[in-house]
Amino acid sequence: MFNQEELQEIETLRKRYPEAKAMVLPMLWRVQEKQGWIDDAGMEAVAMVCDVPKSHVWGVVSFYTMFFDKPMGRYHVQVCTNVSCMLNGGEKLYAEMKSKLGIGHRERTVDGTFSLEEVECMGACGGAPMIAVNETFFERVTSAEASDVIDSIRSSNTIPAPKHIVQMPELSPAANE
Amino acid sequence: MSETTEHSQTESSTPKLILPDIPGFKNIETYLKHGGYGDRLKKVFSMTPVAVTDEVKKSNLRGRGGAAFPTGLKWSFMPKDNARKRYLLINGDESEPGSFKDRQIFEFNPHQIIEGMLIASYAMQVDHAYLYIRGEYAYWYRLMEKAVADAYAKGFIGEKMKEMFPASGDGVSYSVDITLHKGAGAYIVGEESALMNSLEGGRGYPRVKPPFPANVGLWGQPTTINNVETIANVPIIMEMGGEAFSKIGEPKHPGTLLLGLSGHVNRPGVYELPSGTLLTDVIYKYGGGVPGNKKIKMVIPGGSSMPPLRGDSLEGVKMDAESLKLVGSSIGTGGIMVMDEDTDIIHVLTRIAKFYWHESCGQCTPCREGTGWLLKVLRRIDQGQGAPSDIDLLHDVAQNIEGRTICALGEAAAWPVKFTVQRFREEFEKKVSTNNVPSSPNRVHSLRVGGLEPVQVHVPIVVRV
Ligand SMILES: Cc1cc2nc3c(=O)[nH]c(=O)nc-3n(C[C@H](O)[C@H](O)[C@H](O)COP(=O)(O)O)c2cc1C
Ligand code: SF4
Ligand code: FES
C-alpha cells in the first residue's frame, strides 16, 4: 500500500504523537487521497501502521462522513442544504444537481466521473447557497453557475476556478484577497 | 498591534483585533512587520507562566467556541506539577450550522492563531500543541500548513525557539511543537472530549465528565481545549495588556466578536465588532438589512443550536453572552441566521432537527432516540400531517432530552425545538389539523399516512404531558 518514500513520511509523522493510534485519521486520508476511497487492503494497511485491530479502523471509517467505503466519482459534488443555504435556495440547487447528474445522495455516475452528496453546513454560510467539488468551494452560486461548473468539468476534466466572494464586507478589498 | 486598533477609515469603524484591515497579513513577513512573534513573544517568555495566565485572566477573555467559559480560569485548572505531559488542543472543527468565522482566521490571520498557541503553551508549560481542523476545510488546512511551516522555518516553533528566545538568568528556555490534524466530517467531533477521542484515532464519541480534560485529557494527560478565535485573541491581550482588553465592548464578555451573518441579509459575511453591538445594527447597519425590505420573522443568534428570537423582539438585543442570556438565548458561536417574514419556520426547524439526528453519536438513549423522534414528528407537521397534540409532544420530547445526556449535543438538539414551539406556536398551529389522527398508540412513531396499519410499539420512556 505504501511505498518507501511514504513509509519514511509516516515515520516522521509518527513522532508527532505519543501513540501510533493517533495516525488512524491521517493514514486513512492518505489511502483515500491515493485511490479515491478506502478499500479492505487500505484498512488493513492502516491497521498495521497504527497498531490497532482492523475492526477499529472500520469503525472509524464508518463514523466519519468524508471517508468513502466505496468508489466515488473523481469529482465529488457536495451541495449544502443546511439552514443558511436552504434559505437561499440550497434545496432547489440540490434537486437540480440530482437531475443533472442523474444520481442521488452518495451515488456516482456510471462513467465514474461524478458523485453527489447532500451535505451539512460546510462553513460557507456567508456564501450561501454553495456547492463544493472535491475541495473547491463555489459560493453564492446560481443554478446556471452550478450547472456550468459541471459542464466545464465534463469538457475540460479540471475544476474551474471559483469566483471571488468578499468574506469580510467591512474590510478593504486588498485585505479581503 | 497598535496599527490595527488605531485604524479608522470611517466614523463607524471599530477595532479589528482578529481580522485587521491589512493587505497580505496572512504572510509571515507582513505579520512580523506589524509586531507579530518577535518582540512580543520575547516579552511573554520573559514573564513567568503564571503571570501570563494572570494577564489572560485580567482580560476577562471568554471562550468563543460556544460556552463562553473564562479562558484564563480554564488555563489555571491545569495541574502545576511537572510529572505528566501536558497538551494544548485547539478546536477548529467549526461545524455548527451558521458558523464560518474560524475559517476567516485560518485564511486571513493564520499566524495570530499560531502565536496564540505558543503563548498559551508557554503559560501552561505544554509539551505539544495540536490544531484540529475540520476535513471540509481542506483548502484552509493547507493555508495553515504553510503558515506553520513558515513559522517553523523562522524558528518561532519547535527546538529552534530555544535559540530564538534564550532564557534569561537561571531560567529554562522553552520550546513547543505544533501539529495540525485534519478531521473527516463529523459535527460531534467539535465537542471537546469527542475531539480528543478523534485526535487519538478513534470514533468521535464524547467522554463522560468528570474527569475533566485539565486532569485527564489527551492520552490521559492534562489538556486544555480552546477555540480558534479564542486563541487568536491571546497575542492581542499580551500586546495591549489584559486590563485594556477588558475595556473593549461589554465588560462581562469583552473584546471583539467575529459575527457570521447569513440567511436573508443583503451583505452576509463575517463582521468583527465589539461585544455588545446591537443585533439590529449587525443586521441593518452592517449587513445592509433584509432583501426586499421584508420584515424579519426569526433570528438564530449564535449557530443553529441556540434558541431562536422572534423578529418582533430584536429591539435593544445586544450581542454578548450576558445580554443574550437575558433574552433567553445564547451567544454560541456568534453565527447569526436571519429569516424573513416569508420563511416557513417549521421547514427550517425540520432541517435543523435532521441535522442533529444525523450528527448524534448514538451513545445516550435520550439523544439517539429523541433526535429521531423530533425529526419524525416535525416531518409530519411539515408535510401537513400533524395533529394539534403534536405541538406539545415536540416540546415534551425536547424537554426529555435536555440534561439527560453525556454531552451538550442533547441540548443543542432540544433547544431549537423547545424554544421554537414556545416562541412561534402560531406557526405550528397553522400547519396542524384536527383531521390528522394518530394511527398508532405510540404517538411519536405514528407515520400517519393513510392506509398504513397501526404499528403497535410502545415507547419505553414516559413522555410527560
Ligand atoms: C456538539 C458540540 C459541538 C461543538 N463544536 C465546536 C466547534 O466546532 N468548535 C469549537 O470551538 N467548539 C465547539 N464546541 C464547544 C467545545 O466543546 C468547547 O467548549 C470549546 O472548544 C472550548 O473552547 P473555548 O473555551 O475557547 O470556547 C462544541 C460543543 C458541542 C457540545
Ligand atoms: S448527547 Fe448525543 S451526541 Fe452527545 S454523547 Fe450522547 S448520544 Fe452522543
Ligand atoms: S448552511 Fe450551507 S454552508 Fe453553512
Side-chain angles (χ1 to χ4, degrees), chain B residues 63-66 69 74 91 93-95 187-188 190-192 225-227 230 408-409:
Chain B
R64 309 291 200 238
F69 192 85
K74 188 185 265 190
N91 191 342
D93 192 56
E94 185 156 78
S95 308
Y187 164 70
I188 189 55
E191 196 280 335
E192 57 183 20
I225 297 118
N226 276 131
N227 169 258
T230 312
L409 190 135

Side-chain angles (χ1 to χ4, degrees), chain B residues 84 208 215 288:
Chain B
R84 298 192 288 161
V208 179
N215 219 334

Side-chain angles (χ1 to χ4, degrees), chain B residues 188 191 204-207 356 359-368 371 401 404-411:
Chain B
I188 189 55
E191 196 280 335
Y205 285 137
R207 301 176 182 173
Y356 290 105
E359 303 297 333
S360 168
C361 83
Q363 284 190 106
C364 329
T365 311
C367 173
R368 181 185 62 241
T371 49
I401 299 174
R404 291 177 166 83
T405 56
I406 293 175
C407 89
L409 190 135
E411 275 79 33

Side-chain angles (χ1 to χ4, degrees), chain B residues 310 395 399 417-425 428:
Chain B
R310 285 181 67 96
H395 194 268
Q399 196 87 14
V417 175
K418 178 173 142 181
F419 289 101
T420 308
V421 170
Q422 283 177 15
R423 292 171 189 171
F424 294 88
R425 207 179 168 94
F428 292 85

Side-chain angles (χ1 to χ4, degrees), chain B residues 184-347:
Chain B
Y187 164 70
I188 189 55
V189 159
E191 196 280 335
E192 57 183 20
S193 57
L195 190 71
M196 296 192 292
N197 279 343
S198 180
L199 182 70
E200 287 180 13
R203 299 170 73 119
Y205 285 137
R207 301 176 182 173
V208 179
K209 288 178 258 183
F212 292 98
N215 219 334
V216 183
L218 280 170
W219 302 286
Q221 309 298 316
T223 302
T224 291
I225 297 118
N226 276 131
N227 169 258
V228 167
E229 185 187 346
T230 312
I231 214 72
N233 271 287
V234 171
I236 299 294
I237 292 168
M238 299 319 289
E239 172 83 26
M240 61 165 61
E243 192 164 329
F245 184 91
S246 75
K247 296 200 171 107
I248 302 169
E250 275 293 306
K252 285 190 172 157
H253 185 194
T256 60
L257 300 177
L258 300 188
L259 301 173
L261 185 63
S262 67
H264 293 142
V265 281
N266 283 316
R267 293 205 308 160
V270 168
Y271 294 87
E272 178 172 7
L273 295 166
S275 62
T277 300
L278 285 174
L279 176 55
T280 45
D281 274 357
V282 182
I283 297 170
Y284 292 101
K285 186 168 148 198
Y286 296 97
V290 181
N293 250 334
K294 287 187 189 162
K295 284 209 209 74
I296 295 174
K297 187 185 272 185
M298 175 161 124
V299 174
I300 302 178
S304 65
S305 57
M306 296 305 151
L309 300 171
R310 285 181 67 96
D312 53 18
S313 67
L314 303 180
E315 220 45 64
V317 174
K318 291 197 284 184
M319 290 302 292
D320 64 88
E322 300 304 319
S323 308
L324 280 167
K325 210 183 282 170
L326 283 178
V327 296
S329 191
S330 190
I331 187 75
T333 60
I336 304 169
M337 291 183 278
V338 180
M339 286 156 244
D340 71 20
E341 54 186 321
D342 296 333
T343 310
D344 181 346
I345 298 292
I346 309 302
H347 195 57

